[in-house]
Amino acid sequence: MREQVQSARTDLALEVRETFGEDDVEIRGVVLERDKGKGKGVEISRVIIQDESGARAMGKPIGTYITIEAPGLKESDESFQESISVELAKQLKKLCGNLREKQVLVAGLGNRAATPDALGPLVVDNLFVTRHLIREFGPEFRRKHRLADVSAAAIGVMGQTGMESGEILKGIISQTKPELVIVIDALAARSVERLNTTIQITDTGICPGSGIGNNRQALNKESLGTQVIAIGVPTVVDAATIVGDSLERFLKMQGFSAEETQRFLAEVYRKNQEESIANLFVTPGNIDEAMKQISYTISEALNDCFAG
Amino acid sequence: MREQVQSARTDLALEVRETFGEDDVEIRGVVLERDKGKGKGVEISRVIIQDESGARAMGKPIGTYITIEAPGLKESDESFQESISVELAKQLKKLCGNLREKQVLVAGLGNRAATPDALGPLVVDNLFVTRHLIREFGPEFRRKHRLADVSAAAIGVMGQTGMESGEILKGIISQTKPELVIVIDALAARSVERLNTTIQITDTGICPGSGIGNNRQALNKESLGTQVIAIGVPTVVDAATIVGDSLERFLKMQGFSAEETQRFLAEVYRKNQEESIANLFVTPGNIDEAMKQISYTISEALNDCFAG
Amino acid sequence: MREQVQSARTDLALEVRETFGEDDVEIRGVVLERDKGKGKGVEISRVIIQDESGARAMGKPIGTYITIEAPGLKESDESFQESISVELAKQLKKLCGNLREKQVLVAGLGNRAATPDALGPLVVDNLFVTRHLIREFGPEFRRKHRLADVSAAAIGVMGQTGMESGEILKGIISQTKPELVIVIDALAARSVERLNTTIQITDTGICPGSGIGNNRQALNKESLGTQVIAIGVPTVVDAATIVGDSLERFLKMQGFSAEETQRFLAEVYRKNQEESIANLFVTPGNIDEAMKQISYTISEALNDCFAG
Amino acid sequence: MREQVQSARTDLALEVRETFGEDDVEIRGVVLERDKGKGKGVEISRVIIQDESGARAMGKPIGTYITIEAPGLKESDESFQESISVELAKQLKKLCGNLREKQVLVAGLGNRAATPDALGPLVVDNLFVTRHLIREFGPEFRRKHRLADVSAAAIGVMGQTGMESGEILKGIISQTKPELVIVIDALAARSVERLNTTIQITDTGICPGSGIGNNRQALNKESLGTQVIAIGVPTVVDAATIVGDSLERFLKMQGFSAEETQRFLAEVYRKNQEESIANLFVTPGNIDEAMKQISYTISEALNDCFAG
């Protein structure tokens, strides 16, 4: 089992799985299931990391990672958006049960002022919150309208708040005591094909870094004391990743061996880190429009799970 | 001492004071001081409510209310903005002492998506936060650069979050333990001349409603457990207030007695509440530009108090 | 026939008509028809000014003014928005014929940076333009997809461009030679009930000022050399108008005669002009959300007329 | 003289010049001058294409291309921004003479809704336009305040307007007859170091494509009938360019000959065009903040040239 290329950063469990080769390659402690979803071209994958052995191999914590791939997610065809929204709601219900009976806090992570990072705040802007209404009109009102108890907050980023997302979330949770926290965040992908076309839902929360060990910035059941579901969409690819992938293709084309290729890649990554390519991100030209579209689709799926 | 007109809503202590007549009218427990500020046309007033008797008369809690009136606040003359910013920093230091030695949380209240209510979020956007840097680089870094320990958050409004501002603030405070909370909020004024031209600073925090008794939504030392300074700028006038003022002028002009005038006004207010005029606000046409300008001036004053 | 109160500013022909009293009051040269529209509470009015005598009485040019009143226009109920959009498309087709066979330029007037004035730019943002596609793929492409030849521009305001809207429009028309110009603009109403609930469509174009005589700033067939349809939504009420209406109600209540009332009103208006109430506008608190909603409804109606 | 690599897209004459090697390599018909500018690290280059031979070699039309390189342009240090603004104003005056005596139209190109393309509209938003004031208050007013006659328009992009920028510009020019048109546009660079750190000013206008021959979309004296100055800032790098540069470095490192390198690169570019990397752009994470900053610096330079 070859080492995954460390520098090719991705937040998608599915992409990590793909670095190990075809679907029939077996990884101990990791299950991969694929399915057709509703709507044209929609595909559902489910990566289940079952134990510590799988977690080590994948570099991600134990849990379930559902990926909805929908090439049309970034397009403005309303009927298509609606079918993705329905699929997302269905997958969420599978993972969390009936949300209408829960008290839920939705937390939008990310920087509202940086377009590809604004997914979380934009989703929160469109949510129909009910907690204050239920507190005003009572449980009868809630039963009658069959509403989840929903609160929501755009958490901001550390560079703007001076606080870690986890600190703010823990504070809000201590006051409002939700049963479930849903965090929404923009992700990084390895492949440009997945930009703005993929939604990942996971019951592991969010674990920056390797996801194992470093729990300081993790947003999960362990750190927050509440069940955490994370919904993310890859909106950027690291520029270094694109360079590496292109080079890898080229080297294979030229007949280099796998070892040589890895050695060259490592060298190029090292050089790129020293140069200004670090901290550059690749996004499609229409990212502003795409973010509006995708955030709306996600918020509609949530609103649908929460009410009616 | 005549009753103040209940329906003429204002958040400015200075305007409440003015309903009692000229400066030389004495109100027990209330002191009014006036001063020239730096910069063309800048005037400083200080209303000090000293005891319960003053609080009852004014309908506002005991404390100090500083008003900076600066007709040029809404204009885009940079040098003028700077002089207001300097004046605001000076008044803040008078009220709070040396902020560079404090751990401060700045909370922007209000709705980012509703222009005249976006003052708080806009101020927070421009702040230079340091808490995360100090935690990373240590107290030596802080001493060297003479920095306050600053964190900041845009709190959102209940219709968007489902939570009261106080709940979110209390949660954040419980995690980050600031010594001082500065809340920024858009206010309502009684007089259109004060729109976007006035800054009120008070050590009483924010007390929606009468400010006495109803502590459920108050953001003050009592409710938050931390010293609270509030900075506000009136950005709207209640449409009903404008109608009332205009009518009052007219009735006086016609020789009606004070009692008759009050009786008529009460009647008109009652009618207006029933009609659609309730929930309408009066703003100048250039409110978007004015909010950008004013929020920048306030954030610069805070940045100046916090660093350097 | 009494004089209309000059200072109560409205851009709605229907409101001017109402100043003359009930529907059965006859005005020479002016016809008023009322109808039910599709959708809950939707009402259609049609004011037709037939000749110079009607134009003088109404202070508006000869032509047809259709008003769609829909209390739900400002609400976010999608199905309701859709029914208004359908009604608007129907009325437009009645007035202009089959738009799919026309070459149309849509011009968004108003200031994008001032929320209640941003209707025009927001509508233009959501239009599906086709002119460049038809020029690239030819008339066959157009026939196949049954498309209007649509171009669109947000014209800006004189304070931002230094140019009159008419100058920019004339320039664009001279280059692109559309057969029909549709201008979109925010309007002023007299009554707060009509704010964000009313759409006016007229074949007279836009005539600032009295609309008769002063043709310098008019955007109409005479000034632009092309048929002009104007679509507008009242988004503000002059603060002076609200004061006047309130006072008028009060004076009637007190038993003042019509003449006395008019005399008092004129006096109050004169005073208000001198004071800072001039240039203040009354808008609902949720104007940002309402503008998003309404502009989308109008652009969908236009897209529907243009394609499919 | 080797062929420049066609696929490495750049709008900067300086970068094209650099593909020919060091400064002392001579290209017939092309002059390169370098200078220190005001402010820390600011450098001025001047590429002068003197004749058809130089134009062919460079793939850009005859004219002067001034580049201001200022690593701090993207930073928020106000004093530094000011010194760049002063330098830009100085270079503009050198190229155009005293702008205060001219009638100038500033045209902001680009898509307001796509952050890295919004430079033009953002600059226009901050300009102080005077044309309408001069028309209202007369030439005496202009002389007294020593003002240029300035108008400005954000032109939009073809996908939003259905019209070419040149059509709209020609139309506006035909109505308002400016003596000079200044177009502002976001550019593509070849090198990530130049992103948001470089301003190019040229008297050739804007020539999409090779710039020679294809005059259909050019915005220059020939197409518009008026002198045209273009100001641009590179805000994106083509993702394919980054891949190519990285690969080129790698191949050189591996000792491949120049010919082999070029052959491989051409192959990789061809592959990339077929794959999804086309239409991807590389931008820094803080592009939203950077655009605000840079557009303000440019508009201040223009305001300074136009008034006072």
Side-chain angles (χ1 to χ4, degrees):
Chain A
M1 193 171 69
R2 77 172 172 81
E3 283 294 306
Q4 56 154 166
V5 178
Q6 285 309 326
S7 28
R9 182 187 160 209
T10 177
D11 293 322
L12 295 176
L14 183 60
E15 288 194 333
V16 177
R17 178 61 188 75
E18 288 172 350
T19 61
F20 293 96
E22 299 301 308
D23 283 14
D24 51 3
V25 175
E26 237 179 72
I27 310 168
R28 206 160 31 132
V30 180
V31 173
L32 170 61
E33 303 164 355
R34 291 195 189 263
D35 211 345
K36 288 273 163 223
K38 273 191 181 164
K40 197 176 41 161
V42 177
E43 300 196 2
I44 314 295
S45 317
R46 193 177 280 253
V47 174
I48 304 164
I49 301 182
Q50 297 174 310
D51 54 28
E52 282 304 323
S53 152
R56 262 195 312 277
M58 294 281 291
K60 300 216 168 280
I62 295 170
T64 299
Y65 302 81
I66 298 164
T67 311
I68 302 176
E69 291 178 275
L73 182 58
K74 62 182 161 183
E75 262 140 63
S76 61
D77 178 335
E78 272 176 55
S79 69
F80 191 53
Q81 290 297 327
E82 209 183 305
S83 75
I84 302 171
S85 183
V86 168
E87 186 64 52
L88 174 54
K90 191 178 123 192
Q91 297 295 336
L92 272 170
K93 284 172 200 164
K94 260 196 204 170
L95 206 60
C96 317
N98 185 351
L99 285 162
R100 275 170 217 164
E101 289 167 8
K102 294 230 162 90
Q103 190 185 337
V104 186
L105 168 63
V106 182
L109 308 186
N111 185 347
R112 185 187 287 281
T115 313
D117 199 29
L119 182 74
L122 290 175
V123 168
V124 161
D125 284 352
N126 271 321
L127 285 180
F128 178 54
V129 296
T130 59
R131 182 176 175 273
H132 59 306
L133 301 175
I134 292 169
R135 280 156 64 100
E136 190 176 349
F137 300 114
E140 189 47 50
F141 169 83
R142 182 179 178 184
R143 261 192 306 277
K144 187 175 151 202
H145 295 282
R146 303 178 53 229
L147 297 172
D149 181 313
V150 183
S151 54
I155 296 299
V157 293
M158 197 160 65
Q160 289 177 331
T161 65
M163 302 179 277
E164 287 177 35
S165 302
E167 292 180 298
I168 298 177
L169 261 179
K170 252 183 274 186
I172 294 176
I173 290 168
S174 74
Q175 290 293 315
T176 63
K177 311 225 181 315
E179 296 158 299
L180 171 65
V181 176
I182 299 179
V183 293
I184 317 285
D185 200 9
L187 307 177
R190 182 201 170 86
S191 148
V192 295
E193 278 89 3
R194 288 221 167 80
L195 283 182
N196 301 336
T197 63
T198 302
I199 303 173
Q200 175 176 272
I201 316 162
T202 169
D203 57 6
T204 62
I206 286 183
C207 296
S210 80
I212 303 187
N214 171 17
N215 235 326
R216 188 176 133 247
Q217 299 185 335
L219 304 177
N220 55 24
K221 174 141 202 183
E222 208 180 326
S223 69
L224 298 181
T226 311
Q227 188 192 354
V228 182
I229 298 288
I231 300 176
V233 172
T235 61
V236 291
V237 173
D238 201 325
T241 301
I242 286 209
V243 169
D245 284 1
S246 218
L247 190 49
E248 193 173 357
R249 260 199 313 273
F250 169 76
L251 292 168
K252 279 191 185 146
M253 208 165 73
Q254 297 298 317
F256 286 79
S257 76
E259 288 92 303
E260 283 171 309
T261 302
Q262 288 308 312
R263 194 159 37 81
F264 286 155
L265 284 177
E267 175 66 9
V268 170
Y269 280 126
R270 204 186 47 73
K271 288 291 282 185
N272 279 338
Q273 287 312 312
E274 291 165 13
E275 313 232 346
S276 46
I277 196 172
N279 288 319
L280 288 177
F281 293 99
V282 175
T283 49
N286 67 341
I287 182 72
D288 306 65
E289 194 53 40
M291 295 307 289
K292 235 192 284 180
Q293 190 65 63
I294 296 170
S295 64
Y296 184 74
T297 296
I298 295 177
S299 61
E300 286 299 285
L302 289 171
N303 285 334
D304 181 55
C305 288
F306 292 154
Chain B
M1 194 171 67
R2 77 171 171 84
E3 282 295 304
Q4 54 156 163
V5 178
Q6 286 309 325
S7 29
R9 182 187 159 210
T10 176
D11 293 321
L12 296 176
L14 183 60
E15 288 195 333
V16 177
R17 178 62 187 75
E18 288 173 352
T19 60
F20 292 96
E22 299 302 309
D23 284 14
D24 51 3
V25 175
E26 240 179 71
I27 310 169
R28 208 159 31 134
V30 181
V31 173
L32 170 61
E33 303 165 354
R34 291 194 188 263
D35 210 346
K36 287 273 162 222
K38 272 191 182 163
K40 196 175 42 160
V42 177
E43 300 196 3
I44 314 297
S45 317
R46 195 176 278 256
V47 173
I48 305 163
I49 302 183
Q50 298 174 311
D51 55 27
E52 282 303 325
S53 150
R56 261 195 313 277
M58 293 283 290
K60 300 214 167 281
I62 295 171
T64 299
Y65 301 81
I66 299 164
T67 310
I68 302 176
E69 291 178 276
L73 182 57
K74 62 182 161 182
E75 263 141 62
S76 60
D77 178 335
E78 273 175 54
S79 69
F80 191 53
Q81 291 297 327
E82 209 183 304
S83 74
I84 301 172
S85 184
V86 168
E87 185 65 52
L88 174 54
K90 193 177 122 193
Q91 297 295 336
L92 272 171
K93 285 171 200 166
K94 261 197 204 168
L95 206 60
C96 317
N98 185 350
L99 285 163
R100 275 170 217 164
E101 291 167 7
K102 294 228 164 94
Q103 189 186 337
V104 186
L105 168 64
V106 182
L109 308 185
N111 185 347
R112 184 187 288 280
T115 314
D117 198 30
L119 182 74
L122 290 175
V123 168
V124 160
D125 285 352
N126 271 321
L127 284 181
F128 178 54
V129 296
T130 59
R131 182 174 174 275
H132 59 307
L133 301 174
I134 291 169
R135 280 157 64 100
E136 190 176 350
F137 301 112
E140 189 49 49
F141 169 83
R142 180 178 179 184
R143 261 192 305 278
K144 189 176 150 201
H145 295 281
R146 304 177 56 226
L147 297 173
D149 181 312
V150 183
S151 53
I155 296 299
V157 292
M158 197 158 68
Q160 289 177 331
T161 65
M163 302 179 277
E164 286 177 34
S165 302
E167 291 180 298
I168 299 177
L169 261 178
K170 252 183 273 185
I172 295 176
I173 289 168
S174 74
Q175 289 293 315
T176 63
K177 312 228 180 313
E179 296 158 301
L180 170 66
V181 176
I182 299 180
V183 293
I184 317 284
D185 201 8
L187 307 177
R190 181 199 170 88
S191 148
V192 295
E193 277 90 2
R194 289 222 167 79
L195 282 182
N196 301 337
T197 62
T198 302
I199 304 173
Q200 176 175 273
I201 316 162
T202 169
D203 58 6
T204 62
I206 287 185
C207 296
S210 81
I212 302 187
N214 171 16
N215 235 326
R216 188 174 134 251
Q217 300 185 333
L219 306 176
N220 54 24
K221 176 144 200 181
E222 207 179 328
S223 68
L224 298 180
T226 311
Q227 187 191 355
V228 182
I229 298 288
I231 302 177
V233 172
T235 62
V236 291
V237 174
D238 200 326
T241 302
I242 287 209
V243 169
D245 284 0
S246 219
L247 189 50
E248 192 173 357
R249 261 201 311 276
F250 169 76
L251 293 168
K252 278 193 185 145
M253 208 166 73
Q254 298 297 318
F256 284 80
S257 75
E259 288 94 304
E260 281 171 311
T261 302
Q262 289 308 313
R263 194 156 40 79
F264 286 156
L265 284 178
E267 175 67 9
V268 170
Y269 279 125
R270 203 185 49 73
K271 289 291 281 184
N272 279 336
Q273 288 312 314
E274 291 165 15
E275 314 231 346
S276 47
I277 196 169
N279 289 320
L280 288 177
F281 293 99
V282 175
T283 50
N286 67 341
I287 183 73
D288 306 60
E289 194 51 43
M291 294 308 289
K292 236 194 282 181
Q293 191 63 65
I294 296 170
S295 63
Y296 183 75
T297 296
I298 294 177
S299 61
E300 286 300 282
L302 288 171
N303 285 333
D304 181 55
C305 288
F306 292 154
Chain C
M1 194 173 66
R2 79 171 169 83
E3 281 297 304
Q4 55 155 163
V5 178
Q6 286 308 324
S7 27
R9 182 187 158 208
T10 176
D11 293 321
L12 295 176
L14 183 60
E15 288 194 333
V16 176
R17 177 63 186 76
E18 290 172 350
T19 59
F20 292 96
E22 299 301 309
D23 284 14
D24 52 3
V25 174
E26 240 181 71
I27 309 169
R28 208 160 31 133
V30 181
V31 173
L32 170 60
E33 303 164 356
R34 291 194 188 265
D35 211 345
K36 287 274 163 221
K38 272 191 183 164
K40 196 176 43 161
V42 177
E43 300 196 3
I44 314 296
S45 316
R46 195 176 278 256
V47 174
I48 304 163
I49 301 183
Q50 298 174 308
D51 55 27
E52 281 304 323
S53 152
R56 260 195 312 277
M58 294 282 290
K60 298 213 170 283
I62 295 171
T64 299
Y65 301 81
I66 299 165
T67 310
I68 303 176
E69 290 178 275
L73 183 58
K74 62 182 162 184
E75 264 141 62
S76 59
D77 178 334
E78 272 176 55
S79 69
F80 191 52
Q81 291 297 327
E82 209 182 305
S83 75
I84 301 173
S85 184
V86 168
E87 185 64 52
L88 174 54
K90 190 178 124 191
Q91 296 295 334
L92 271 171
K93 285 172 200 165
K94 259 197 205 168
L95 206 59
C96 317
N98 186 351
L99 284 163
R100 275 170 217 165
E101 291 167 7
K102 293 229 163 93
Q103 190 186 337
V104 186
L105 168 64
V106 182
L109 307 186
N111 185 347
R112 183 187 289 279
T115 313
D117 199 29
L119 181 73
L122 291 174
V123 168
V124 161
D125 284 353
N126 272 321
L127 285 182
F128 178 54
V129 295
T130 59
R131 182 174 173 274
H132 59 306
L133 301 174
I134 291 169
R135 279 156 66 101
E136 191 176 348
F137 300 114
E140 189 49 47
F141 169 83
R142 182 179 177 183
R143 260 192 305 277
K144 188 175 151 202
H145 295 282
R146 300 178 58 226
L147 298 171
D149 181 313
V150 183
S151 53
I155 297 299
V157 292
M158 198 160 66
Q160 290 177 331
T161 64
M163 301 179 278
E164 287 177 34
S165 302
E167 291 180 298
I168 298 177
L169 261 179
K170 253 183 275 185
I172 293 177
I173 290 169
S174 74
Q175 289 291 316
T176 63
K177 312 228 179 316
E179 296 159 299
L180 170 66
V181 176
I182 299 179
V183 294
I184 317 285
D185 200 8
L187 307 177
R190 179 197 172 90
S191 148
V192 295
E193 278 90 2
R194 288 222 168 80
L195 283 182
N196 301 337
T197 62
T198 302
I199 304 173
Q200 175 175 273
I201 316 162
T202 168
D203 58 6
T204 62
I206 286 184
C207 295
S210 79
I212 303 188
N214 172 16
N215 236 326
R216 189 174 133 249
Q217 299 185 333
L219 305 177
N220 54 24
K221 175 141 200 185
E222 206 180 328
S223 69
L224 297 181
T226 311
Q227 189 193 354
V228 182
I229 298 289
I231 301 176
V233 172
T235 62
V236 291
V237 173
D238 200 326
T241 301
I242 286 207
V243 169
D245 284 0
S246 218
L247 190 50
E248 192 173 357
R249 262 200 310 275
F250 169 78
L251 293 168
K252 278 191 185 147
M253 207 166 75
Q254 297 297 319
F256 285 78
S257 75
E259 287 93 305
E260 280 171 311
T261 303
Q262 289 308 314
R263 194 154 41 79
F264 286 156
L265 284 178
E267 175 65 9
V268 170
Y269 279 125
R270 204 184 50 72
K271 289 291 279 183
N272 278 339
Q273 288 312 314
E274 290 164 15
E275 314 230 347
S276 47
I277 196 171
N279 289 318
L280 289 176
F281 293 99
V282 175
T283 51
N286 67 343
I287 182 74
D288 305 64
E289 195 52 44
M291 294 307 290
K292 235 194 283 181
Q293 191 62 66
I294 296 171
S295 63
Y296 184 74
T297 296
I298 294 178
S299 61
E300 286 299 283
L302 288 171
N303 285 334
D304 181 55
C305 288
F306 292 154
Chain D
M1 195 171 67
R2 79 172 171 83
E3 281 295 306
Q4 53 152 169
V5 178
Q6 286 308 326
S7 28
R9 181 186 160 208
T10 176
D11 293 322
L12 295 177
L14 183 60
E15 288 194 332
V16 176
R17 179 61 187 75
E18 288 171 351
T19 61
F20 293 95
E22 298 302 308
D23 284 14
D24 52 4
V25 174
E26 240 180 70
I27 310 168
R28 205 158 33 131
V30 181
V31 173
L32 170 61
E33 304 164 354
R34 291 195 188 263
D35 211 345
K36 289 271 163 225
K38 274 193 180 161
K40 197 175 41 158
V42 177
E43 299 196 5
I44 313 297
S45 317
R46 195 177 279 254
V47 174
I48 305 164
I49 302 183
Q50 296 173 311
D51 54 27
E52 281 303 324
S53 151
R56 261 193 313 276
M58 295 282 290
K60 298 214 169 283
I62 296 171
T64 298
Y65 301 81
I66 298 164
T67 311
I68 302 176
E69 290 179 275
L73 182 58
K74 63 181 161 184
E75 263 141 63
S76 60
D77 179 334
E78 271 177 55
S79 70
F80 191 51
Q81 290 297 328
E82 209 183 306
S83 75
I84 301 172
S85 184
V86 168
E87 186 64 53
L88 174 55
K90 192 178 122 191
Q91 296 295 335
L92 271 171
K93 285 171 199 165
K94 260 197 204 168
L95 206 60
C96 317
N98 185 350
L99 284 162
R100 275 171 216 161
E101 290 167 7
K102 292 227 164 93
Q103 190 186 338
V104 185
L105 168 64
V106 182
L109 307 186
N111 185 347
R112 182 186 290 278
T115 314
D117 198 30
L119 182 73
L122 290 175
V123 168
V124 161
D125 284 353
N126 271 321
L127 285 181
F128 178 55
V129 296
T130 59
R131 182 175 174 272
H132 59 307
L133 302 175
I134 292 169
R135 280 157 64 100
E136 190 176 350
F137 300 113
E140 189 47 49
F141 170 83
R142 183 179 176 184
R143 260 192 306 278
K144 188 174 152 203
H145 295 283
R146 300 178 56 226
L147 298 170
D149 181 313
V150 183
S151 53
I155 297 298
V157 292
M158 198 160 66
Q160 290 177 331
T161 64
M163 302 179 277
E164 288 177 33
S165 302
E167 292 180 298
I168 298 176
L169 262 178
K170 252 182 275 185
I172 294 177
I173 290 169
S174 74
Q175 289 292 315
T176 63
K177 311 224 182 315
E179 296 159 300
L180 171 65
V181 175
I182 299 180
V183 292
I184 318 286
D185 201 9
L187 306 177
R190 180 198 172 88
S191 149
V192 295
E193 279 90 2
R194 289 223 167 80
L195 283 182
N196 300 337
T197 63
T198 302
I199 303 173
Q200 175 175 272
I201 317 161
T202 169
D203 58 6
T204 62
I206 286 183
C207 296
S210 79
I212 302 188
N214 171 15
N215 235 325
R216 188 175 134 248
Q217 299 185 335
L219 305 176
N220 55 24
K221 175 142 199 183
E222 209 180 325
S223 70
L224 297 181
T226 311
Q227 190 192 354
V228 181
I229 298 289
I231 301 177
V233 172
T235 61
V236 292
V237 173
D238 199 326
T241 301
I242 285 208
V243 170
D245 284 0
S246 219
L247 190 49
E248 192 174 358
R249 260 198 315 273
F250 169 76
L251 293 168
K252 279 190 185 146
M253 209 164 74
Q254 296 299 316
F256 286 80
S257 75
E259 287 92 303
E260 282 172 309
T261 304
Q262 289 308 313
R263 195 157 37 81
F264 287 156
L265 284 178
E267 175 66 9
V268 171
Y269 279 126
R270 205 187 46 74
K271 289 291 281 184
N272 278 338
Q273 288 312 312
E274 291 165 13
E275 314 232 344
S276 48
I277 196 171
N279 288 321
L280 289 176
F281 293 99
V282 175
T283 50
N286 66 343
I287 182 73
D288 305 64
E289 195 52 44
M291 295 307 290
K292 234 193 282 180
Q293 191 62 65
I294 296 170
S295 64
Y296 184 74
T297 297
I298 295 178
S299 61
E300 285 299 282
L302 288 171
N303 285 334
D304 181 55
C305 288
F306 291 154

